[in-house]
Amino acid sequence: MTRTQGEHRAGRATQGGRKHGVRMPRTATVVALCTALLVVLVMIAPEWLRVPAALLWVLTVPGLPWGLLMRLRDPLDTVVVVVASSMAWTAIVAGGMAVLDLWFPLLAVAVLGLQALAATLLPTTVLGDSTRPRRRQRRAMARRY
Amino acid sequence: MVTDPSLDAVPAGRPRIDPSRAVIVGPLIAVVLGAVVLLWLYGLRDADPREMTQLGLVSLLRWPNYVALLLLVAGFCAALYRRDREWVLAAHLLTLIGIIHATPPLLYGTLRYSWAWKHLGIVDYILQHGGVNTGIDFLGIYHNWPGFFAGAALLAEISGPEHLMGFAIWAPVFFNVANLLALRFLLRSFSTDNTRIWLALLLYFITMWVGQDYFAPQAFAYLLALVLLGVVLRRFRRPRSGENLAASRAATAGALLLVSVLMFAIAMSHQITPLTVFLTLSVLWVGRQIRGWYLPVIAVVTMAGWAFTVARDYTIANLSELLAELNQPIGNMADTLEQNDAVSGAQQAVSLGGRAVIVVLVVVAAAGAYRLWQRGRLDPTVVLLAGAPGLLLFLTAYGGELLFRIFLFAAPALCYLAAAALTARGGDDALHTEFRFSALGTLALSLLLLPGFLLAYYGKDQWYYFTPQEVEAGSWIVEHSVPTTLLVRGNMNYPHDFRNYAAVFPVSISAEDDSARIVAQPVRVLSGWLSDPSYARAYVIITRSQELRNAAVGPMPAGALQDVAEALRASPRFHAVFHNKDAVVFTLVGRR
């Protein structure tokens, strides 16, 4: 089996079918909980806890669904896509606020969290379910059976 | 579309270690790598960065440091030869990154590179003003491409602004580890041969001396560009005969969205990286290596869109200069070479070391390309990735740094091709002799490249390092600056503009056309400048690192800035308002 077949099958096993409905809400829950936790930590946590939490959040949470969306078989590949897309989203949201003179850090965190939550819905809404056959294929199947 | 990246794939070759040996591999690797780290630290036990010569940090390295590097590279080659698991190879490269890139932060304790200090100043500006000022005169380019700085400012806000300096000091370690993962991601789209991929990674980290891994937008944009290219090659590569074309609409559409996000972040953070990404995607598409005409279109639309909307004032003001550099490949190349020829003494060795590394890598890469071509396994994508950044020569001189940037962007593909010259054909037991030859060849090439790399990467640290006393002087200026403060400095090489920078109007003596006259008559000229009533306050700052940089690369004669400081100290018209053993700040008598 080639890697790509493996990736595709892995994608179907985890993203599609019965498990599809489980994984995305789980990612959304992780994103929501981590974002809420960060907001709390920013306000009340001591320095030794706030710094690693902030760093970890900025490098992982905004890009988490994007990394999973790529459906890469290799976990390190997924990690690097998550980190890069997290950094990209952080730069876009913070840069946009800086250019528009709307600098509200906690709002930026909220926007990044919402963006990530929205991205968890992408496979089932905007992009369509990957395991759902295209219309032409469905017609062909209907003719066959 | 999902493609099989193993175009020139060879049997990846699982480790041939028998189970009884496998048990001892882990502890053995830990002992060897522990010994490497201890030897490295032992070599630097009495190192004092103040004692660096014009060879920079290389002048502080002792025999244990070289033994540590030899042991590390030999261990890596042995692991390649044994076809060890990835974590073993990764442990070696992480140790290499650790000792090379964590040494300056640990040894210096202050932020390396003067440019990194002014980058902190832009983040500080955003934190203070809650935004950027695209029309600002000084350092305006950073305000017009603020993505990286705003992201850093957000991180500083939620973690505490006092930690920003720590993030900046350790940024090279972070970016190099992230680049290791990103390069692995990219290279795995060319081949499934782990030996070749990890050898390419080793070559990358012992040749990449360009120093674009510090707290800077280019380090950020480069990382994103590597990941973007990796995503494109995984999801948009044209299929070849026999490849699996199983389509996944969501994965492809998701990848397209991800590419757009990465491209937008790059376009709002840096100037040359989006141009390089656009050129690379265009060349890959024209060369029929990727499908999707929209990929280069996304790149050019985001790049030009940002440049002509948010950054339009800056872009339009500099348009004539940009257009003058178009289609001037020789002139653009000469700009870099001339800048590096204007050095003397030990710095020529540093410059030659860097150039030698590039030449050796390109020659070995050419040999690797020939070897693959002979076998009919040369992947056109890799060749195009190595060549596409060269098109930048026709577009810009990039302030005399262009050749370094071309090398930076071409390096992943060059290292992959160079690794192909050294890796054995396959994982067959009968090929053990060839593997042994590969390991020895790798060791020899590494030992050839490492001296040049160390010279080029560490060779300017004599003035890239700033003492705590210089930082103290820089902080004094920050605390005593009010809006419209004139600050005269020898050159920009000191901890400058890292806070409250917009209040200061800086003038560098070295950048003035008549710097020789200023050096000849410093009291007369500088008292005239500092007595200008249009400035609320006025200072002259001369530091140790300014003088060291000037002595090494000019443009004034060595010792010129010390002479200026002595003349001001002896003059009754000036008095030192701040001084310590590495820096002095003057102002006019009777002036605040």
Side-chain angles (χ1 to χ4, degrees):
Chain A
M1 180 177 70
T2 64
R3 171 199 303 165
T4 48
Q5 283 171 324
E7 280 184 5
H8 187 62
R9 288 177 192 174
R12 272 203 283 194
T14 54
Q15 298 276 328
R18 279 179 297 171
K19 288 190 177 179
H20 187 93
V22 175
R23 181 161 177 172
M24 283 306 158
R26 190 187 296 165
T27 309
T29 310
V30 168
V31 167
L33 281 178
C34 288
T35 305
L37 185 65
L38 179 78
V39 172
V40 173
L41 288 177
V42 166
M43 291 191 285
I44 61 164
E47 202 174 278
W48 62 267
L49 188 58
R50 198 176 65 231
V51 177
L55 200 54
L56 198 62
W57 189 89
V58 164
L59 290 178
T60 54
V61 175
L64 186 62
W66 295 89
L68 298 177
L69 194 63
M70 281 292 292
R71 298 171 189 182
L72 299 162
R73 195 177 58 163
D74 185 89
L76 285 178
D77 286 349
T78 305
V79 167
V80 78
V81 174
V82 166
V83 170
S85 43
S86 294
M87 291 168 70
W89 272 110
T90 304
I92 289 170
V93 171
M97 285 185 162
V99 167
L100 297 171
D101 278 338
L102 293 169
W103 190 253
F104 300 105
L106 286 183
L107 178 64
V109 169
V111 171
L112 285 168
L114 285 174
Q115 163 283 129
L117 280 176
T120 60
L121 302 175
L122 277 177
T124 48
T125 54
V126 182
L127 304 179
D129 188 339
S130 64
T131 56
R132 189 177 161 80
R134 295 184 185 203
R135 185 179 297 172
R136 196 183 298 166
Q137 290 170 309
R138 285 204 301 273
R139 282 187 194 148
M141 286 165 71
R143 275 199 298 273
R144 197 178 303 162
Y145 301 107
Chain B
M1 181 188 72
V2 182
T3 63
D4 185 352
S6 54
L7 233 203
D8 59 342
V10 293
R14 287 298 318 129
R16 299 297 151 88
I17 309 163
D18 64 58
S20 59
R21 274 182 60 204
V23 177
I24 62 162
V25 165
L28 187 68
I29 299 295
V31 168
V32 170
L33 296 182
V36 165
V37 173
L38 287 176
L39 271 170
W40 185 266
L41 293 175
Y42 180 71
L44 290 168
R45 69 193 182 286
D46 297 324
D48 180 356
R50 285 175 177 280
E51 291 172 3
M52 283 190 277
T53 68
Q54 279 203 0
L55 287 177
L57 188 49
V58 176
S59 62
L60 296 183
L61 299 181
R62 301 285 174 263
W63 66 264
N65 300 104
Y66 297 109
V67 173
L69 281 176
L70 180 66
L71 195 59
L72 184 61
V73 175
F76 185 89
C77 294
L80 271 184
Y81 167 62
R82 290 194 307 261
R83 280 168 287 162
D84 272 342
R85 289 175 184 278
E86 268 198 304
W87 72 262
V88 176
L89 301 166
H92 282 83
L93 285 198
L94 287 172
T95 308
L96 178 71
I97 290 171
I99 63 176
I100 295 291
H101 299 285
T103 296
L106 287 173
L107 191 62
Y108 304 164
T110 55
L111 183 58
R112 192 179 176 221
Y113 302 123
S114 64
W115 314 282
W117 289 87
K118 67 180 176 184
H119 292 166
L120 287 178
I122 305 297
V123 178
D124 173 71
Y125 186 98
I126 295 172
L127 292 175
Q128 279 192 31
H129 297 83
V132 289
N133 176 2
T134 53
I136 200 166
D137 286 335
F138 184 49
L139 303 182
I141 192 166
Y142 298 135
H143 287 256
N144 282 278
W145 279 268
F148 166 76
F149 301 110
L154 180 61
L155 176 61
E157 286 270 23
I158 57 180
S159 63
E162 66 277 15
H163 300 293
L164 185 60
M165 181 66 80
F167 294 145
I169 288 176
W170 287 96
V173 177
F174 167 76
F175 279 121
N176 277 288
V177 172
N179 283 347
L180 173 66
L181 288 176
L183 285 162
R184 178 180 171 274
F185 176 58
L186 175 63
L187 296 180
R188 276 162 51 87
S189 55
F190 304 149
S191 172
T192 52
D193 182 358
N194 272 339
T195 305
R196 187 179 300 167
I197 289 168
W198 282 92
L199 179 51
L201 292 171
L202 170 75
L203 292 175
Y204 180 88
F205 286 102
I206 61 171
T207 53
M208 188 39 67
W209 56 265
V210 179
Q212 296 303 321
D213 51 5
Y214 63 104
F215 184 75
Q218 56 264 43
F220 168 80
Y222 183 66
L223 172 64
L224 298 196
L226 291 178
V227 175
L228 185 152
L229 290 175
V231 171
V232 166
L233 292 181
R234 296 289 177 104
R235 293 286 180 252
F236 297 95
R237 200 162 168 180
R238 277 185 187 276
R240 288 174 177 78
S241 57
E243 283 184 321
N244 178 16
L245 292 178
S248 164
R249 246 190 324 165
T252 306
L256 185 60
L257 278 174
L258 181 57
V259 166
S260 307
V261 168
L262 293 171
M263 192 61 219
F264 191 66
I266 293 170
M268 70 188 293
S269 299
H270 201 225
Q271 304 81 44
I272 200 168
T273 309
L275 191 57
T276 315
V277 173
F278 162 67
L279 287 176
T280 305
L281 293 178
S282 302
V283 165
L284 289 176
W285 182 70
V286 170
R288 299 185 62 78
Q289 297 306 303
I290 55 171
R291 62 194 176 82
W293 54 269
Y294 41 81
L295 291 170
V297 170
I298 287 170
V300 77
V301 165
T302 50
M303 176 177 64
W306 188 269
F308 287 99
T309 54
V310 177
R312 67 182 178 282
D313 293 342
Y314 187 92
T315 306
I316 290 168
N318 292 280
L319 202 56
S320 59
E321 198 180 322
L322 294 171
L323 292 176
E325 292 172 354
L326 276 180
N327 206 19
Q328 303 283 335
I330 305 296
N332 293 339
M333 188 161 56
D335 271 8
T336 311
L337 298 175
E338 279 166 15
Q339 279 207 357
N340 284 274
D341 284 338
V343 296
S344 57
Q347 282 306 302
Q348 277 188 338
V350 171
S351 180
L352 282 175
R355 291 180 191 189
V357 164
I358 296 175
V359 169
V360 170
L361 183 66
V362 170
V363 168
V364 180
Y370 178 71
R371 194 179 183 199
L372 290 173
W373 175 72
Q374 265 191 324
R375 293 180 197 162
R377 284 177 170 166
L378 181 60
D379 184 348
T381 304
V382 186
V383 179
L384 293 176
L385 279 177
L391 293 176
L392 285 170
L393 278 173
F394 292 88
L395 299 177
T396 177
Y398 206 65
E401 291 184 24
L402 186 64
L403 290 185
F404 303 144
R405 302 306 173 108
I406 290 174
F407 172 56
L408 178 73
F409 287 107
L414 287 176
C415 290
Y416 178 83
L417 290 173
L422 292 163
T423 42
R425 274 199 296 268
D428 200 301
D429 279 333
L431 290 169
H432 262 212
T433 310
E434 194 171 347
F435 266 96
R436 189 174 294 126
F437 173 78
S438 300
L440 289 175
T442 305
L443 185 60
L445 179 64
S446 304
L447 296 182
L448 185 68
L449 290 169
L450 269 170
F453 166 73
L454 290 175
L455 269 177
Y457 188 69
Y458 284 155
K460 295 177 180 173
D461 276 35
Q462 190 189 32
W463 72 85
Y464 286 166
Y465 160 65
F466 305 111
T467 65
Q469 288 75 20
E470 287 177 279
V471 176
E472 209 182 320
S475 301
W476 190 94
I477 293 288
V478 165
E479 283 158 19
H480 290 79
S481 295
V482 293
T484 67
T485 294
L486 173 68
L487 180 63
V488 181
R489 54 217 188 167
N491 53 45
M492 283 172 54
N493 193 68
Y494 73 105
H496 66 99
D497 301 324
F498 56 95
R499 239 182 306 137
N500 199 20
Y501 95 89
V504 174
F505 181 80
V507 178
S508 295
I509 297 173
S510 64
E512 293 295 304
D513 291 336
D514 57 349
S515 60
R517 186 176 70 92
I518 301 167
V519 172
Q521 301 173 314
V523 173
R524 194 172 143 203
V525 176
L526 296 179
S527 62
W529 288 3
L530 266 64
S531 57
D532 186 339
S534 58
Y535 298 108
R537 293 182 185 180
Y539 303 110
V540 179
I541 180 168
I542 306 289
T543 71
R544 169 188 174 278
S545 54
Q546 288 178 11
E547 178 53 50
L548 287 170
R549 186 185 194 284
N550 183 62
V553 296
M556 295 173 288
L561 293 176
Q562 264 178 348
D563 294 344
V564 169
E566 287 307 318
L568 298 187
R569 199 172 271 130
S571 166
R573 300 175 71 180
F574 285 87
H575 73 114
V577 285
F578 176 91
H579 67 95
N580 58 35
K581 66 176 177 177
D582 292 328
V584 57
V585 181
F586 298 99
T587 191
L588 280 178
V589 171
R591 174 149 208 181
R592 290 192 68 188

